[in-house]
């Protein structure tokens, strides 16, 4: 088990965290903005829980610590998730799949959208977990790199396969065996997040874009190309284009990818590095092509017929947000039952139809077609086998690698 080291965050790591919060996956989604304009006020949490001063010193704790499981006598479960990451009815107040789970199981779900950023949320729960105390949560949803860290620290509980029959049977092959949780002993994906190439057909004006090399090397695209401020997505896509496996690359491979991107910056080929604010650039044609997240592309294509996407033959990066049961959770069995519920085709289809991320549940296409046939046939939501075969994951990083790589990436992007 990894011993937690309360090192100060490097300036590059703080910059990366702030980029994610203000422009990356943690920024307001299109659906959030629509809902706000319809009369709801949205509050975005600050970064006060974690700063350049680092995280409070951690105590020592053994891994996989459970408390007495009170699931039998307490028919409840506390679920912490990201904002805008659950189906909701037209009133904007009710979650149909959660209510259906409660009606069937008798288990009341306390659902809280209190995750805005991985690092910020880690700052909330770290003091309790490091002290061996309960967090008040039975399920938390974290992106794979932070899920990996909590598993290494021994701060989450091993799941009981007997309570997860649908999850075990229906998990999509592309998510089955991450290097940070072999066999999914501690986690199951909530949704997948794919990085693809988006382009504006009108802005391309006949120029063909099929690869990352096209973005970096075609002089006809000079100054009209965008890359992402998320290091793993941008560098991972460049590594794939170079014929390197993002799951097994070396320091030299990483440096070569950074050097290749630096040439694109120096020549003016890359217009800028963005978070999900690229959506405006690609829609208007300021970007002819860029790296993009699949969930955004689904929305962009629906709004603008000029926007489309391509999957490079070299592959694409897929990460995941994952459900975990933290140490000392009071309702572990109830949590596992809820996790398993979302691996049944019906609930999984309802969720996929609403949020439009990559569904990690195999065999859900027919159910989704009953709700939304276009979504069922969209490979960005339900990847076919050929697309699944091209999916690659960025490998886990040590704390030392994380600091070094983020510093180099920050220098590249000017963060």
């Amino acid at each position: 088990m990894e011993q937690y080291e309360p090192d100060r965050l490097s300036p590059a790591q703080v910059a990366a965290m702030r980029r994610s919060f203000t422009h990356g996956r943690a920024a307001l989604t299109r659906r959030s903005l629509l809902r706000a304009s319809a009369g709801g006020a949205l509050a975005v949490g600050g970064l006060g829980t974690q700063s350049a001063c680092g995280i409070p010193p951690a105590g020592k704790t053994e891994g996989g610590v459970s408390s007495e499981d009170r699931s039998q006598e307490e028919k409840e479960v506390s679920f912490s998730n990201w904002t805008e990451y659950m189906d909701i009815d037209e009133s904007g107040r009710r979650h149909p799949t959660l209510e259906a789970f409660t009606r069937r199981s008798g288990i009341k779900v306390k659902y809280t959208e209190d995750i805005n950023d991985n690092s910020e949320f880690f700052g909330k729960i770290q003091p309790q977990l490091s002290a061996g105390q309960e967090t008040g949560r039975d399920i938390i949803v974290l992106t794979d790199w932070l899920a990996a860290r909590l598993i290494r620290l021994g701060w989450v509980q091993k799941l009981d396969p007997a309570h997860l029959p649908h999850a075990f049977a229906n998990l999509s092959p592309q998510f089955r065996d991450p290097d940070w949780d072999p066999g999914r002993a501690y986690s199951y994906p909530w949704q997948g997040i794919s990085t693809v190439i988006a382009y504006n057909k009108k802005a391309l004006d006949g120029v063909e874009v099929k690869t990352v090399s096209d973005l970096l090397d075609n002089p006809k695209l000079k100054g009209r190309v965008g890359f992402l401020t998320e290091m793993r997505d941008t560098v991972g896509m460049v590594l794939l284009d170079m014929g390197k496996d993002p799951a097994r690359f070396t320091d030299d491979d990483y440096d070569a990818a950074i050097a290749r991107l630096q040439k694109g910056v120096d020549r003016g080929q890359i217009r800028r590095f963005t978070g999900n604010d690229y959506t405006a650039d690609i829609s208007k044609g300021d970007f002819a092509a860029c790296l993009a997240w699949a969930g955004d592309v689904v929305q962009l294509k629906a709004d603008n017929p000029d926007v489309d996407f391509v999957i490079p033959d070299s592959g694409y990066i897929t990460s995941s947000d994952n459900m975990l049961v933290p140490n000392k959770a009071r309702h572990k069995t109830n949590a596992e039952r809820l996790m398993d519920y979302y691996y049944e085709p019906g609930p999984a289809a309802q969720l996929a139809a609403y949020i439009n991320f990559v569904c990690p549940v195999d065999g859900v296409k027919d159910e989704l077609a009953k709700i939304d046939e276009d979504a069922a046939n969209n490979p960005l939501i339900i990847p076919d086998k050929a697309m699944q075969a091209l999916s690659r994951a960025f490998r886990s990083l040590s704390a030392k690698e994380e600091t070094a790589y983020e510093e180099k990436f920050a220098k590249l992007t000017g963060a």
Side-chain angles (χ1 to χ4, degrees):
M1 182 184 73
E2 175 184 337
Q3 176 59 47
Y4 180 69
E5 298 178 359
D7 295 335
R8 291 175 179 267
L9 294 175
S10 70
Q13 287 174 306
V14 173
M17 179 182 72
R18 290 184 182 276
R19 285 197 308 272
S20 177
F21 190 74
T22 58
H23 298 295
R25 288 194 51 245
L28 292 179
T29 64
R30 174 179 177 274
R31 186 176 288 117
S32 300
L33 293 172
L34 288 174
R35 185 169 299 161
S37 65
L42 292 174
V44 179
L47 291 166
T49 55
Q50 186 163 332
S51 68
C53 294
I55 302 168
K60 296 181 179 179
T61 181
E62 295 300 321
V65 180
S66 62
S67 62
E68 179 185 355
D69 189 350
R70 303 179 186 181
S71 294
Q72 188 64 33
E73 59 268 28
E74 297 178 2
K75 295 295 185 180
E76 59 188 81
V77 62
S78 179
F79 185 178
S80 281
N81 204 350
W82 294 71
T83 57
E84 306 298 327
Y85 222 11
M86 179 66 74
D87 59 306
I88 196 164
D89 70 2
E90 292 182 0
S91 74
R93 295 188 297 270
R94 300 171 62 184
H95 302 294
T97 56
L98 288 176
E99 292 187 358
F101 172 77
T102 297
R103 286 194 301 270
R104 179 205 293 185
S105 66
I107 298 170
K108 183 177 180 181
V109 182
K110 179 186 177 184
Y111 184 72
T112 308
E113 294 182 332
D114 60 347
I115 305 178
N116 290 306
D117 172 84
N118 284 289
S119 297
E120 180 200 30
F121 187 71
F122 181 78
K124 290 181 183 179
I125 62 175
Q126 181 271 331
Q128 294 100 317
L129 290 173
S130 65
Q133 300 170 353
E134 64 174 285
T135 65
R137 301 167 174 90
D138 301 304
I139 299 176
I140 55 177
V141 178
L142 301 175
T143 305
D144 43 20
W145 63 268
L146 184 55
R149 184 162 183 79
L150 263 65
I151 291 170
R152 290 197 305 269
L153 289 166
W155 288 356
V156 294
Q157 298 186 52
K158 193 169 186 178
L159 302 174
D160 185 345
H163 297 152
L164 294 155
H166 296 98
F168 181 80
N170 296 336
L171 177 60
S172 174
Q174 74 182 99
F175 296 105
R176 277 197 176 272
D177 202 31
D179 66 347
W180 48 270
D181 187 15
R184 291 289 179 180
Y186 293 89
S187 69
Y188 270 94
W190 176 246
Q191 296 291 295
I193 308 154
S194 294
T195 304
V196 300
I197 296 175
Y199 60 88
N200 185 306
K201 287 178 276 190
K202 186 175 181 180
L204 283 178
D205 193 25
V207 176
E208 189 174 63
V209 171
K210 290 187 175 181
T211 68
V212 172
S213 288
D214 291 333
L215 300 183
L216 289 171
D217 300 330
N218 191 328
K220 293 181 179 179
L221 299 180
K222 183 176 180 179
R224 299 192 295 138
V225 166
F227 282 77
L228 293 167
T229 54
E230 296 290 339
M231 179 269 288
R232 289 167 176 81
D233 295 323
T234 285
V235 175
M237 291 292 282
V238 174
L239 285 168
L240 283 168
D241 190 71
M242 294 167 58
K244 303 295 182 179
D245 185 351
R248 295 179 176 83
F249 67 90
T250 64
D251 287 348
D252 288 343
D253 295 333
Y254 184 89
D255 289 345
I258 292 292
R260 191 155 181 238
L261 286 161
Q262 188 65 58
K263 288 181 181 179
V265 172
D266 295 342
R267 294 199 309 265
Q269 183 77 6
I270 298 174
R271 184 183 183 97
R272 66 189 184 104
F273 292 85
T274 73
N276 62 5
D277 47 330
Y278 65 78
T279 55
D281 291 304
I282 197 73
S283 293
K284 292 187 295 184
D286 292 341
F287 282 165
C290 65
L291 295 188
W293 289 304
D296 288 334
V297 176
V298 173
Q299 298 284 351
L300 290 167
K301 278 174 58 66
D303 292 341
N304 187 340
D306 289 327
V307 175
D308 212 332
F309 74 97
V310 65
I311 303 295
D313 289 340
S314 59
Y316 65 102
I317 294 292
T318 300
S319 57
S320 57
D321 288 329
N322 308 275
M323 297 179 284
L324 306 105
V325 178
N327 284 355
K328 293 299 184 87
R330 292 166 59 94
H331 311 105
K332 179 173 181 284
T333 298
N334 290 345
E336 291 165 337
R337 291 181 66 183
L338 181 57
M339 293 165 68
D340 192 62
Y341 167 75
Y342 279 103
Y343 275 82
E344 296 179 25
Q350 287 181 259
L351 184 65
Y354 184 80
I355 64 176
N356 295 160
F357 279 74
V358 181
C359 181
V361 182
D362 210 16
V364 77
K365 184 173 183 177
D366 289 344
E367 287 294 325
L368 183 54
K370 298 174 185 177
I371 304 169
D372 186 336
E373 191 168 353
D374 288 341
N377 293 318
N378 191 329
L380 297 180
I381 299 173
I382 308 292
D384 58 24
K385 290 184 178 180
M387 187 168 171
Q388 288 183 18
L390 292 172
S391 173
R392 297 290 183 270
F394 197 95
R395 70 171 173 82
S396 300
L397 301 178
S398 68
K400 182 179 179 181
E401 287 175 325
E402 177 88 26
T403 299
Y405 291 175
E406 285 288 6
E407 286 177 350
K408 291 174 181 178
F409 190 69
K411 183 177 180 181
L412 167 74
T413 61

